[in-house]
Amino acid sequence: MAIVKADPEFRRTVLLVYVGVTALGVVLIVWGLPAIKDDLARRSPEEALTFLRTCLVVGFLPIFPMAYYAYRFARRVLSSGQFPPPRTKVLFDIQIVEGKSARRRAICLMIVGALLLIVGLAGTFYLPYLLGRLIE
């Protein structure tokens, strides 16, 4: 079977982005979390609730591009009939899967995309509503 070779430049870029996002997360947790706690303590309950609702919405927004990408990638797999689809950069050498197995993977990716969309919608709209109901 054919193999898609890893792209070393792409691997390096993904690693740098991963390290950068991890460092940013550590900085936000170490210095940002105490500052947010102090800020919430100084706010009125209504302002604090609005801030928490906003944080919930912003926290769930990155799920939507992930759901879209999973769906689009699955469509590419279905249209090409192989996984990974042509011209896909990969982090490590991957054997190309074709036929029913590729179609099955694409359908699984579509299901994952739909589930991500449902989680994103619930987190963006329903959780802030529940938080408001809990405080009332």
Side-chain angles (χ1 to χ4, degrees), residues 1 26 29 31 41-42 55 67 88-89 105 109 120 124 129 135:
M1 293 207 101
V26 168
I29 289 171
W31 286 295
R42 283 184 263 129
C55 286
T88 300
K89 293 181 181 179
R105 289 180 187 201
L109 269 174
T124 302
Y129 167 76
I135 301 299

Side-chain angles (χ1 to χ4, degrees), residues 4-130:
V4 178
K5 292 289 187 184
D7 184 354
E9 184 63 33
F10 181 63
R11 183 185 309 165
R12 194 171 12 263
T13 303
V14 168
L15 180 64
L16 287 174
V17 168
Y18 182 75
V19 168
V21 168
T22 302
L24 179 64
V26 168
V27 166
L28 286 175
I29 289 171
V30 170
W31 286 295
L33 194 57
I36 289 173
K37 282 183 179 179
D38 292 342
D39 183 57
L40 282 175
R42 283 184 263 129
R43 292 178 186 243
S44 69
E46 294 82 19
E47 289 176 337
L49 177 62
T50 302
F51 179 76
L52 289 175
R53 282 180 172 169
T54 304
C55 286
L56 266 175
V57 170
V58 169
F60 277 93
L61 285 179
I63 292 178
F64 293 110
M66 287 185 254
Y68 178 72
Y69 180 77
Y71 177 78
R72 293 292 299 161
F73 191 81
R75 295 294 305 160
R76 284 180 52 206
V77 171
L78 285 176
S79 67
S80 69
Q82 73 179 40
F83 183 89
R87 298 181 310 277
T88 300
K89 293 181 181 179
V90 294
L91 298 177
F92 48 90
D93 295 348
I94 295 181
Q95 191 172 15
I96 295 177
V97 178
E98 297 177 330
K100 283 186 177 182
S101 185
R103 181 175 163 74
R104 191 170 37 249
R105 289 180 187 201
I107 290 170
C108 286
L109 269 174
M110 285 185 162
I111 292 169
V112 166
L115 290 174
L116 282 172
L117 181 64
I118 290 168
V119 167
L121 289 172
T124 302
F125 296 109
Y126 191 61
L127 283 180
Y129 167 76
L130 282 180

